[in-house]
Amino acid sequence: MAKETMITYLDDYLNKKIPDYELALDWDTRNHSFEIAFRIYAENKGQIEIDDVDGVASEEEVIEFEDAILLADPAKTVYDPADFLAVIPYEGKKGMKKSELTAVVDYLKEVIEEGQSDLLDFLADDSEDALFEMKWDDAAYKALIKAGNDYLPYPSY
């Protein structure tokens, strides 16, 4: 049996823990990073005109929102933190503690579920200054990390 790595564990645990949402796990070998992207959807029954972050207006019947978190090697990964909901460091070839990866997925599930609820509330709010944005709280994520020193290594190519 092949040795479990960050990518094999994430792929398995994401599918097990968050089966009801559209997820994508992308391992960028050149950038030494793992992106976990997700999408949430909500019906825009009133066909309310919504401006996205770039100021583009939409009245689509179904609103789609996509965001991502990044697991990054601080010494090698190049990224713009503004492009991600959260950026979480790992320790190069050593990888990341299994308990930390578990907490990432467990907390991500909470964030997605909360975001889905907030998106529905946003669409029901008819005020001009209503705002929808996803939130990642590092303290809440870190509170979910259980004791344990077992590392899952960065995968070999």
Side-chain angles (χ1 to χ4, degrees), residues 45-65:
K45 292 179 185 171
Q47 302 227 302
I48 301 163
E49 183 175 298
I50 298 170
D51 293 334
D52 69 11
V53 71
D54 298 321
V56 177
S58 172
E59 293 178 28
E60 296 294 320
E61 211 170 292
V62 175
I63 300 299
E64 174 184 324
F65 181 84

Side-chain angles (χ1 to χ4, degrees), residues 13-23 109 113:
Y13 195 54
L14 281 165
N15 287 320
K16 187 183 308 177
K17 186 73 178 188
I18 314 176
D20 299 332
Y21 292 94
E22 194 174 319
L23 299 171
K109 180 179 183 189
E113 288 173 346

Side-chain angles (χ1 to χ4, degrees), residues 116-141:
Q116 181 71 62
S117 175
D118 289 350
L119 182 57
L120 293 170
D121 292 346
F122 167 74
L123 289 172
D125 186 341
D126 57 2
S127 67
E128 286 291 319
D129 58 348
L131 178 69
F132 169 76
E133 65 181 345
M134 300 287 289
K135 297 172 189 77
W136 180 276
D137 181 347
D138 271 337
Y141 151 65

Side-chain angles (χ1 to χ4, degrees), residues 6 32-34 71-74 77 88-92 95-96 154:
M6 290 175 66
H32 303 271
S33 64
F34 303 92
L71 303 181
D73 178 344
T77 306
I88 301 160
Y90 68 88
E91 299 178 45
M96 195 169 181
Y154 183 83

